[in-house]
Each structure stands twice: as C-alpha cells, then as structure tokens.
Amino acid sequence: SDKKPLKLFFLSRHIRCLIIFSLCLGLIFLSGFFHMKNKNYIISKSHEELLVPPTPCHAKTNVMFLKTHKTASSTVLNIMFRFAEKYNLTVALPAGQLFHLGYPKPFLAHFVEEFQTIGQNYNIMCNHLRFNPLEVQKVMAANTFYFSILRNPIPLLESSYIYYKDSVPAFRISKDVNEYLASPMKYYHPADYKQNMYARNIMWFDFGYDNNAEDNKKYIQVVLKEIEQNFHLILIADYFDESMILLKRTLCWDLDDVIYFKLNSRSQDTVQTLTPESEERIKVWCSLDWKLYLHFNQSFWRRIEETIGLKELEKEVHHLRTRQKELMETCLLDQGAVGKDHIKNRALLPFQSGAANILGYNLKQDLDNRTLRTCQQMVMPELQYTSYLYAVQHPHKERKELGLPLLWTTSQEK
C-alpha cells in the first residue's frame, strides 16, 4: 500500500513531463509558423514595393549640349531642336547670319541672338561653339544640364580629313590621309590654328583648350577634372544608341525624344582606309584627344553599369531600334539615306563639304499633315533647322540666308 502512492506520484510526474514536452513542441511549431508567415509577409511586402512605380521624374528642359566636330553631333542637335519645339522652349541661336556661336573664337554671351534682351532665359543651347564656361553661364540658367559627345580619334581624324579637305591648309596640300599622317608637321603649322584646328586634337580644342599643348600628364589630369566638373554627362559616338538610352534616362525624356535618323553622314565611297601605321600615328599625333576619349569612354560604361545595367541597356537599345525602324518605314521613300544627287526636295539637301558626299533623305508622298511634320523634323538638315527656328524665335529679324528653298515658312506655322 505504501508503494501505490509512490507509483501514482511517478506516473503523474511522467504525465506532467509529457504535457510540458507537448506544450514546448506546440510552442516551437507555432513560433515557426508565425515566423514563416512573417517571413512570407516580408517577401510579399518587398515584392509589392518592387511593383510600386518609381517616383516620376520630370523632363529636364534647361540643357546645354557642347556640339563637338565629326562626332554624330548633328544628329544630337536635331534631337535637341525637336525637343525644343515639342515643349516650346527658347533656343540660344547664333546672332545675325551665323550658324555657329562665334566658333572658333572662345564663346562670348553676345554671340547669342538677343542675349541683351532675353538674358538668362534660354532653355537650350546646342549650336557649335568653343566652350567658355563663364560666358555660357551668363546665358544658361543655374540648373542647366551640361553634356557633350566624344568619338574615337582614329575614325574622327579620317572623317575630318575628308570633310575639311578643301578648307584646312594641312589637309589641302597633302595627297591623302595616310600621306598626311606619315609626317603631319610637314603640312601642319600651329600658327594657322583658326584653320588647322580640325587637323589635330579637335575635341580638345572644342572643349576650350589648346590643341597644340604639350602632352603632359599633370596638365591632362587637370583638364579632365575640369571637364568632369563642367559637364554632367559625356556620351560616346561609337556607341550612339547606348548613348541615347543613357541620355533619355538621365534627362527623363521619352523614347521618341531620342529616336533619330542619322544626319550629316557621308557615303561609304568617300571613306579612306587608314593603314595600321596611320592608326597608331593618330594616337600620338592627337594624343590629347586620345587620352580624353579613353578617360570618358571608361566613365561612360561605368555610368551605364551603375544606373542601367548591361541587360536592361540591351533591352532598351532594342526598343529604340524597333521604334526607329517603324519611323523609317513610315517616313522614308528609300528606307534609308541617299546621296546628294538623289535628294528630290532641294529644301532637304544637307550642306556639302570637302570631298564628302553628305547623305540626305526623301520623304514618302501622301503623308497626313501631322506625320509629315514629324518626318520633316526627323530629316531636316542642321542649317535649315537653325534657320527655321531663328525665323520662329526672331520673326522681326532678317532670316538666315541658305541659298536653298524653304521647307516650310513661319507664316504656315502660325
């Protein structure tokens, strides 16, 4: 009888242990369940956050584009002019009969038409000028976005040679580009810098620096740092579509704002083949441009990786090319550019220079008015577009003379 209570005691203790153990298991299970639920909640919440559209950005409308020579910059200028028209923006246009802003002199504010009257109320500046930051800042607002474009100096110099063959003394007296590069100092005289700047370090010159300066490491570093401080973005012409996507993203513009038809390009039969020796000589002869290009080509791709990523870039470039193809099919009679002798409408004939055959476009007939206007804007050569915008902005001034028929008149626009 003494053993019975003892047996009951151990039994109840055993039951108590089982109950406690079961409770612990239950608690562990429940905590795991809530943890998983909470984890799922966090996952779904972050997924929801991903689906929330990013804060809308606003298109930048105060923009200065430093138009460099032979770098696809005429195509960029067309993009800038179209954007200015879309938003009814004021363009800082060259005064009087000029089509550039005082080039090759360093830029001065009074080179802009009606600067004294309009002051700092211009939105867009994009015609050729030799960069002079303090004077540009007198014209453009404090919140202006500054960008420019560079090109590999090897194809650039060959392009300059053909385009400026008749006007640059160093090019005129040499037989071809390879002969010129074999001994450039035989033809090039630094004293003739106002005519010869196209023959050496032209991009360095356009940015406002001495294109005959000594290739000194410390000096180059100072210049590169200055350019980085003055410009928010430097594009690369050799990757033009990628550049347009980066520009669109950075300025918060629409895809159609950066769609383009290539302007001021020349026919392939005017391209001279550079020998491997000539290519290497350009790196030395135009060493300032070469170092400028290498530096900003690197920063361009770094910017792409940091802001867009290569996969997304590839997708967006595909969209751009698809849209471009659609517009070409809509607008163009010949599905592409044609030589100067095949341009039917003389009002669409681009300026011809040197030994180059500058290509242009023929538009389809019977386009509705809105489509026709869009297509005309896309193919309008630089000088014609500058002249047209000048007449719109300054109707009381004498129109810039082109010696070409007008595509449309300002009276039609009104």
Side-chain angles (χ1 to χ4, degrees):
S1 65
D2 289 342
K3 286 179 184 176
K4 199 176 180 183
L6 195 65
K7 196 176 175 185
L8 284 170
F9 171 77
F10 280 116
L11 189 64
S12 60
R13 190 176 170 194
H14 182 64
I15 290 164
R16 277 206 312 273
C17 286
L18 270 172
I19 291 164
I20 291 164
F21 180 69
S22 299
L23 282 170
C24 288
L25 269 178
L27 284 170
I28 290 164
F29 174 75
L30 282 170
S31 69
F33 172 75
F34 284 118
H35 177 70
M36 282 303 292
K37 201 171 179 193
N38 192 41
K39 196 176 174 189
N40 287 338
Y41 169 70
I42 292 164
I43 290 166
S44 61
K45 190 184 173 194
S46 67
H47 181 63
E48 279 169 20
E49 282 168 359
L50 287 172
L51 295 175
V52 172
T55 312
C57 58
H58 299 288
K60 288 183 172 65
T61 52
N62 290 336
V63 184
M64 190 276 166
F65 169 58
L66 175 63
K67 187 180 190 296
T68 48
H69 286 81
K70 312 314 300 163
T71 58
S73 62
S74 293
T75 303
V76 180
L77 178 124
N78 178 272
I79 286 167
M80 301 298 290
F81 279 171
R82 279 168 22 221
F83 187 81
E85 282 204 88
K86 178 181 173 180
Y87 286 97
N88 196 26
L89 303 175
T90 306
V91 183
L93 292 165
Q97 289 297 306
L98 293 176
F99 286 88
H100 52 74
L101 292 159
Y103 194 89
K105 294 174 188 170
F107 174 77
L108 296 172
H110 72 260
F111 294 160
V112 173
E113 188 65 76
E114 292 196 353
F115 165 68
Q116 305 300 343
T117 314
I118 298 172
Q120 221 178 14
N121 293 313
Y122 295 94
N123 306 108
I124 302 286
M125 179 185 268
C126 55
N127 288 79
H128 274 306
L129 60 82
R130 190 169 181 216
F131 194 62
N132 185 4
L134 295 177
E135 288 291 310
V136 171
Q137 283 159 24
K138 288 180 186 177
V139 178
M140 300 305 289
N143 68 345
T144 296
F145 182 90
Y146 288 77
F147 80 102
S148 189
I149 190 165
L150 299 173
R151 182 185 180 188
N152 186 324
I154 296 169
L156 186 148
L157 191 114
E158 186 277 329
S159 177
S160 290
Y161 186 91
I162 302 301
Y163 196 82
Y164 299 110
K165 177 72 174 155
D166 299 338
S167 53
V168 171
F171 292 160
R172 200 165 48 226
I173 53 177
S174 54
K175 186 183 69 168
D176 60 38
V177 68
N178 291 305
E179 184 184 277
Y180 169 70
L181 288 165
S183 50
M185 286 311 285
K186 186 175 161 184
Y187 309 102
Y188 181 91
H189 304 294
D192 298 335
Y193 87 94
K194 281 192 177 177
Q195 295 152 300
N196 267 339
M197 68 269 180
Y198 301 110
R200 187 183 197 189
N201 294 313
I202 179 60
M203 296 188 292
W204 199 263
F205 183 86
D206 287 348
F207 274 87
Y209 302 100
D210 177 7
N211 61 322
N212 293 306
E214 191 186 330
D215 184 343
N216 172 291
K217 193 177 177 182
K218 194 177 175 184
Y219 164 68
I220 286 169
Q221 288 308 313
V222 167
V223 168
L224 294 177
K225 196 172 180 186
E226 260 182 35
I227 293 171
E228 282 177 338
Q229 286 167 346
N230 288 327
F231 289 86
H232 300 98
L233 181 65
I234 303 289
L235 303 176
I236 300 295
D238 311 77
Y239 306 99
F240 195 79
D241 289 349
E242 292 83 353
S243 290
M244 290 306 99
I245 296 303
L246 185 56
L247 183 70
K248 174 187 83 77
R249 285 280 200 113
T250 312
L251 295 180
C252 198
W253 288 9
D254 296 331
L255 183 65
D256 270 14
D257 294 332
V258 297
I259 297 291
Y260 67 92
F261 296 163
K262 198 184 281 188
L263 297 178
N264 209 33
S265 61
R266 63 198 160 119
S267 58
Q268 276 300 115
D269 60 337
T270 64
V271 177
Q272 291 186 9
T273 306
L274 291 162
T275 64
E277 293 77 20
S278 289
E279 291 190 357
E280 290 307 310
R281 283 169 187 147
I282 290 170
K283 294 178 190 176
V284 178
W285 174 242
C286 298
S287 64
L288 303 175
D289 269 4
W290 182 245
K291 282 165 187 173
L292 179 71
Y293 173 76
L294 290 180
H295 177 83
F296 284 105
N297 183 46
Q298 262 192 332
S299 68
F300 172 80
W301 288 106
R302 193 162 58 244
R303 182 88 165 251
I304 292 275
E305 283 174 14
E306 287 168 3
T307 59
I308 305 173
L310 295 175
K311 262 192 172 178
E312 182 59 30
L313 176 72
E314 200 178 324
K315 268 195 279 183
E316 292 202 35
V317 164
H318 175 71
H319 292 322
L320 183 143
R321 288 173 181 165
T322 304
R323 180 69 182 128
Q324 182 188 51
K325 192 166 179 279
E326 278 172 18
L327 271 170
M328 289 182 105
E329 283 167 3
T330 301
C331 295
L332 304 181
L333 192 62
D334 311 276
Q335 296 297 301
V338 296
K340 60 184 177 185
D341 299 328
H342 299 283
I343 297 166
K344 293 173 183 178
N345 185 344
R346 296 280 298 168
L348 292 176
L349 180 72
F351 175 71
Q352 302 294 317
S353 178
N357 175 2
I358 305 299
L359 305 175
Y361 296 94
N362 289 317
L363 297 178
K364 281 182 178 174
Q365 303 297 306
D366 307 319
L367 296 169
D368 66 79
N369 285 344
R370 193 177 169 188
T371 307
L372 176 64
R373 179 63 206 269
T374 300
C375 296
Q376 284 174 331
Q377 286 176 308
M378 296 285 295
V379 303
M380 198 186 299
E382 180 179 332
L383 302 189
Q384 285 92 316
Y385 215 152
T386 301
S387 175
Y388 163 71
L389 285 181
Y390 183 86
V392 171
Q393 280 189 197
H394 310 289
H396 58 289
K397 299 270 182 184
E398 188 186 339
R399 191 159 186 156
K400 290 183 189 288
E401 289 302 315
L402 278 171
L404 288 167
L406 302 175
L407 186 61
W408 58 59
T409 64
T410 49
S411 59
Q412 284 176 313
E413 288 307 306
K414 292 169 189 173

